[in-house]
Amino acid sequence: MSKVYITDTSLRDGSHSVSHTYTVEDVEKVSRALDQAGIDIIEVSHGDGLEGSSINYGFSEVNELELISAAASSVDKAKIAVLVIPGISTLHGFTEAKRRGASIARVATHVTEADTSEQYIKACKDLGYKTVGFLMMSHMASVEKIQEQALIMQSYGTDVIYLTDSAGALLPHEVAERIEGLRKVLDVPIGHHAHDNLGCAIGNSLAAVRAGATYIDGSLAGLGAGAGNSSTELLVATLRKYGINLQADVFRTMDAAEKILGPLIMKKEKELPRHNSDSITLGYAGVYSSFMLHAQKAAKRFNLDSREILVELGKRKAVGGQEDWIIQVATDLVKNK
């Protein structure tokens, strides 16, 4: 099998879990440990991408550009990636991130809106980034639609294209079907980003690799939105056991999770992601994983069950970036009681 490259998203997707409170010291420690463990790529930015720090998505305690600089100065081999979302990130943001040491830009759109990525992908390529196309909420589209949208991103010059299960709603056979579909039409490598809301993240990641994906995401201890992502240490161990060609070291990745990230989370008085009724509902209803905390806040405010809000968001087919819609949905539910 081809070599598989691991991207750790603890310092981006995991930012949701710590309410965007990472410090420079936090990022230095985690980045150094991941680099020493042989992780290929480390993603660093606000949970909702570059320049996501806002009233809608939550403010960062430390400017993410400082965190990018900290990560870049703490690694010897690992590449630093940033998430770029059209409508949130700007040319200034990813230009400055490149200057600070980022070399991979992951340009993310809803699975049916690849055409909104053109300016971003081309601008990132012009800046010298390796560019990844991220098709989010991929459970909401057929194999044929995903193929169509991936080809659009490929035509813009992206170097890798990801099938992204933002809601943790896919099952292993559904991931395999989508990856196989992409292999039939694409000339670029394929990646997969899983969330664990239905407990399928590792199984989905293995299914993706078996179907031909060569870029796989994880986060230490599964730290991420909703019930979290594929645990990087579990991912490395299972891929190694499966006989996959990896750079990552099993024991050092475990140590990064248990000896570095774990104490850091405890110090912040935060909890590692776990399966609970809300995170399971995200996967069941097919709702963007970062919506969970916003739905919980709205439930308290309107005296509702947060699961009611999440299920209604799923019925209305809410997509990433519509966090401000949660209040309207909660208001409508109260009116209809």
Side-chain angles (χ1 to χ4, degrees):
M1 286 187 176
S2 302
K3 180 179 178 181
V4 169
Y5 299 89
I6 303 293
T7 298
D8 184 89
T9 71
S10 306
L11 299 175
R12 197 281 299 170
D13 216 330
S15 184
H16 292 293
S17 301
V18 298
S19 303
H20 314 294
T21 59
Y22 282 130
T23 66
V24 167
E25 183 182 11
D26 294 337
V27 169
E28 288 173 342
K29 286 181 177 178
V30 174
S31 298
R32 191 174 299 116
L34 288 167
D35 185 56
Q36 291 171 352
I39 299 301
D40 302 283
I41 302 164
I42 302 169
E43 188 180 43
V44 184
S45 52
H46 185 279
D48 291 281
L50 278 174
E51 299 172 278
S53 179
S54 64
I55 192 168
N56 278 349
Y57 307 121
F59 290 104
S60 299
E61 186 169 305
V62 176
N63 186 295
E64 63 193 330
L65 293 171
E66 293 181 36
L67 302 183
I68 292 165
S69 295
S73 64
S74 301
V75 301
D76 293 322
K77 295 180 180 179
K79 305 295 184 184
I80 304 303
V82 292
L83 185 69
V84 173
I85 299 180
I88 297 176
S89 308
T90 67
L91 177 61
H92 169 76
F94 48 87
T95 299
E96 184 62 16
K98 185 71 168 60
R99 192 183 72 79
R100 298 289 187 115
S103 60
I104 299 174
R106 311 207 313 168
V107 182
T109 74
H110 184 62
V111 67
T112 59
E113 297 175 358
D115 59 331
T116 64
S117 69
E118 180 174 10
Q119 287 182 305
Y120 291 80
I121 288 173
K122 290 180 177 179
C124 287
K125 292 289 289 183
D126 288 345
L127 288 168
Y129 277 108
K130 179 174 182 175
T131 306
V132 177
F134 234 55
L135 290 170
M136 299 190 292
M137 299 291 280
S138 57
H139 73 283
M140 296 181 73
S142 66
V143 172
E144 293 73 23
K145 175 58 73 170
I146 292 169
Q147 288 174 321
E148 171 196 284
Q149 296 296 300
L151 285 168
I152 290 172
M153 282 188 165
Q154 181 175 272
S155 74
Y156 299 152
T158 191
D159 300 294
V160 181
I161 292 178
Y162 260 71
L163 179 82
T164 306
D165 186 14
S166 318
L170 291 174
L171 301 176
H173 72 280
E174 295 173 313
V175 171
E177 289 169 357
R178 286 160 169 77
I179 297 292
E180 287 165 2
L182 289 175
R183 281 189 66 200
K184 289 178 182 177
V185 299
L186 295 179
D187 299 319
V188 298
I190 299 163
H192 181 56
H193 175 98
H195 278 265
D196 202 39
N197 298 331
L198 292 179
C200 294
I202 292 295
N204 286 350
S205 298
L206 289 174
V209 170
R210 290 190 64 179
T214 53
Y215 284 79
I216 299 291
D217 287 8
S219 59
L220 294 174
L223 195 70
N229 303 100
S230 294
S231 159
T232 302
E233 62 274 22
L234 273 174
L235 192 57
V236 170
T238 53
L239 288 174
R240 282 280 185 191
K241 189 167 184 180
Y242 192 59
I244 300 298
N245 179 15
L246 296 178
Q247 179 174 276
D249 179 86
V250 176
F251 290 173
R252 288 190 174 187
T253 308
M254 292 176 182
D255 289 344
E258 293 183 10
K259 297 179 180 180
I260 303 299
L261 187 76
L264 185 156
I265 299 300
M266 289 181 63
K267 188 176 180 181
K268 292 182 181 294
E269 298 183 347
K270 300 291 184 180
E271 293 184 0
L272 291 172
R274 59 188 176 86
H275 292 99
N276 56 33
S277 58
D278 283 334
S279 67
I280 294 168
T281 302
L282 287 170
Y284 176 74
V287 175
Y288 199 67
S289 292
S290 65
F291 280 24
M292 187 171 76
L293 297 179
H294 298 282
Q296 288 171 343
K297 290 178 183 177
K300 286 183 179 180
R301 177 176 169 183
F302 292 93
N303 194 29
L304 292 167
D305 186 327
S306 52
R307 293 171 297 183
E308 293 180 86
I309 299 173
L310 293 171
V311 167
E312 184 62 25
L313 286 164
K315 289 179 180 177
R316 299 189 188 191
K317 299 189 182 302
V319 302
Q322 291 183 314
E323 283 84 349
D324 55 344
W325 197 17
I326 293 172
I327 297 299
Q328 182 60 56
V329 168
T331 303
D332 291 344
L333 287 172
V334 170
K335 287 179 181 177
N336 293 330
K337 277 190 176 291

